Amino acid sequence: MDDGTNPPKKGDTDRRSRLAEALRANLQKRKAQARSRRAGDAAGQRAGDADKQRADDADKQRADDADKQRAYDTDKKRADDVDQQPDGLPGAGKMQKD
């Protein structure tokens, strides 16, 4: 038995050369596509960042408005509570000692 590999068939080296060339071309094509995608994503990312910033600003504005409304409601409630105190009771001030 022959321990070595089979001898190359006629035209086998041509086939290997063509396959190697096709693989190199495919690799170059995929690299170019990846570069193009990254360049396109960078432009899309910048646009996405601007959209995200606008959305964040709008959310912050809504939160600020809600905080202002809560503060207004709290102040109004405090004013209403003071108005509803009976006239005969003293206010919550310092008590005088005898």
Side-chain angles (χ1 to χ4, degrees):
M1 287 267 179
D2 188 11
D3 290 338
T5 60
N6 294 336
K9 297 179 185 175
K10 182 180 177 188
D12 192 38
T13 55
D14 292 337
R15 182 174 181 267
R16 284 186 183 182
S17 298
R18 283 182 289 142
L19 285 175
E21 184 59 34
L23 285 172
R24 277 191 290 274
N26 190 15
L27 179 62
Q28 293 299 322
K29 179 180 161 186
R30 288 179 26 218
K31 282 184 178 180
Q33 285 175 342
R35 279 191 300 269
S36 174
R37 233 179 276 125
R38 279 193 302 264
D41 285 347
Q45 184 68 26
R46 285 189 294 269
D49 288 345
D51 290 341
K52 186 176 185 310
Q53 184 64 40
R54 279 192 290 277
D56 288 345
D57 290 344
D59 289 344
K60 186 174 184 233
Q61 184 63 42
R62 281 197 281 297
D64 288 345
D65 291 345
D67 289 341
K68 287 177 187 175
Q69 184 64 43
R70 277 193 291 277
Y72 173 78
D73 291 344
T74 302
D75 290 343
K76 187 171 180 353
K77 186 174 187 304
R78 283 186 192 139
D80 289 343
D81 288 345
V82 170
D83 290 340
Q84 292 176 4
Q85 286 182 351
D87 293 332
L89 297 176
K94 289 187 177 182
M95 299 278 296
Q96 292 182 353
K97 291 186 178 181
D98 291 330

